Amino acid sequence: MARLQQIYRDTIVPKLRSDLGISNTVFGLSATVRTLSTGIFSPYLGKMLDRHGSRYPMAIAGVLIIFILLGLAFVQSGWMLLLMMFLLGAIGMQGGTSLYSTVPISHWFIRKRGMAMSWAFVGGPFALILALGLLVDDPIVGDLVMRSSITAE
């Protein structure tokens, strides 16, 4: 995960800053806003997952994330970035330990819940290490970012 954050900080953020004129403060604040909105809405999301299971809420979140990511493509200022990050957090898109994955595992595995959770959470970082560490190198990612446009045109 640290490598992905390094790529984001060293390659993507400078490109966004130059294209959009958004400061480092706003980028840092956007992560904080996403985390806060996750904290605010997680109790409600947890109740919904307990009541309806994870299938339908996850499908709804999948559709919502499409629109949020499209909204991120049209960001032109700092407040728009903050709004999109707030919405990402509100639907529970906050890292690999989201409620969408923990609630079903805790319901499916009663006796060996800890072991099931540990195996489930090994998969995300392992896949990230493989994808970013072995298949894609930093110069390739940097070159792709610098050649592409950050915003939709």
Side-chain angles (χ1 to χ4, degrees):
M1 195 63 149
R3 188 171 175 134
L4 179 62
Q5 291 170 346
Q6 179 183 2
I7 291 170
Y8 177 73
R9 182 190 67 233
D10 296 343
T11 308
I12 297 173
V13 169
K15 176 77 170 161
L16 285 170
R17 270 198 343 245
S18 67
D19 285 0
L20 301 176
I22 296 175
S23 69
N24 280 338
T25 304
V26 173
F27 283 107
L29 187 58
S30 69
T32 303
V33 165
R34 187 181 71 190
T35 302
L36 285 173
S37 68
T38 299
I40 292 167
F41 289 98
S42 286
Y44 303 108
L45 181 59
K47 286 181 184 178
M48 184 174 24
L49 290 171
D50 283 340
R51 184 174 300 138
H52 303 291
S54 63
R55 182 177 297 162
Y56 296 116
M58 187 179 258
I60 293 167
V63 170
L64 290 174
I65 199 167
I66 291 169
F67 291 108
I68 293 169
L69 292 176
L70 284 172
L72 279 170
F74 292 98
V75 165
Q76 296 295 319
S77 63
W79 73 267
M80 293 172 81
L81 177 66
L82 294 176
L83 175 65
M84 293 298 124
M85 296 307 274
F86 178 84
L87 294 173
L88 275 176
I91 63 172
M93 295 298 151
Q94 178 71 22
T97 58
S98 75
L99 290 172
Y100 297 108
S101 55
T102 55
V103 171
I105 292 169
S106 66
H107 286 296
W108 294 337
F109 297 93
I110 303 299
R111 291 184 321 163
K112 295 193 177 194
R113 184 175 296 151
M115 181 65 75
M117 291 281 205
S118 65
W119 279 108
F121 294 129
V122 163
F126 184 70
L128 190 62
I129 288 168
L130 283 178
L132 293 176
L134 300 176
L135 302 176
V136 178
D137 203 12
D138 293 344
I140 296 170
V141 172
D143 187 54
L144 288 172
V145 169
M146 297 314 270
R147 289 176 186 251
S148 65
S149 173
I150 294 296
T151 61
E153 295 180 19

